[in-house]
Amino acid sequence: MSDLAAVNAIIHGRVQGVYYRAFARRRAATLGLTGYAHNLPDGTVEVHAEGEKEQLQRLIGHLENGPPAARVNKVDTDWSEYTGNYTGFNIRYHTR
């Protein structure tokens, strides 16, 4: 069986208003991951993704670069257990 995991990433820098969430959704979907991306009030973007650990690590690499208009300063990651609670990868347009 595949090595399944979850990762929560907080992306710092110029990451809002530069299509960062759409970029994260495209990359995650291409990698077969589920979860979501959304803007946080402090100007960061949160990405929560679940799936195969190797694919999650690839996603983190993409998140560290971001789309062309973004400037990523730092990506904080927090690994956790796979839950299977998500279908697809979505953009959330509201805060919790």
Side-chain angles (χ1 to χ4, degrees):
M1 180 169 216
S2 300
D3 187 18
L4 298 176
V7 67
N8 199 70
I10 304 296
I11 301 91
H12 302 262
R14 188 168 62 115
V15 293
Q16 290 191 13
V18 294
Y19 301 99
Y20 195 94
R21 293 174 298 168
F23 167 85
R25 179 180 61 189
R26 282 192 309 275
R27 294 298 184 266
T30 299
L31 294 168
L33 302 172
T34 61
Y36 62 86
H38 77 105
N39 290 340
L40 295 176
D42 65 359
T44 60
V45 171
E46 177 185 28
V47 172
H48 180 82
E50 295 194 348
E52 293 182 18
K53 190 166 188 175
E54 181 178 327
Q55 299 298 70
L56 291 168
Q57 290 169 329
R58 286 184 179 153
L59 177 64
I60 291 167
H62 290 301
L63 297 177
E64 289 171 342
N65 291 315
R71 186 183 71 245
V72 177
N73 295 337
K74 176 173 74 164
V75 177
D76 294 324
T77 57
D78 183 27
W79 291 86
S80 59
E81 299 277 326
Y82 176 85
T83 68
N85 290 340
Y86 303 95
T87 57
F89 196 93
N90 300 297
I91 295 174
R92 293 187 176 174
Y93 294 97
H94 56 83
T95 58
R96 289 185 214 171

